Amino acid sequence: MSALFNFQSLLLVILLLICTSAYVHQMFPTILDRNKTGFMGIFWKCARIGERLSPYISICCVLMAVSLFIGN
């Protein structure tokens, strides 16, 4: 089943996108800062969300891991 049709998988993909973008921005800030508009701007926005809401994103990561562990 595609991640677009399964809500939990869609949330997992979005959460991983936010975490990965924040990590890449921390390691290589110039890569994402150059591309604030267009398609690549999505990654810059996800990095901002990950940086500013990091406690909430961390809680969501833990909850998603627990729900995946219990579900399988």
Side-chain angles (χ1 to χ4, degrees):
M1 184 177 276
S2 175
L4 296 175
F5 300 115
N6 187 352
F7 186 68
Q8 186 175 4
S9 297
L10 179 66
L11 288 177
L12 181 65
V13 168
I14 292 171
L15 192 60
L16 288 173
L17 179 68
I18 290 171
C19 292
T20 304
S21 297
Y23 179 76
V24 168
H25 188 261
Q26 181 183 4
M27 292 293 142
F28 309 105
T30 56
I31 292 174
L32 293 178
D33 286 340
R34 282 186 295 194
N35 303 313
K36 292 183 181 179
T37 59
F39 178 73
M40 294 297 285
I42 294 171
F43 300 110
W44 181 79
K45 290 174 187 172
C46 287
R48 288 290 168 216
I49 291 170
E51 291 170 355
R52 294 183 181 174
L53 299 175
S54 60
Y56 299 112
I57 298 296
S58 301
I59 290 170
C60 289
C61 285
V62 170
L63 291 176
M64 187 64 71
V66 168
S67 70
L68 290 174
F69 180 73
I70 292 174
N72 289 330

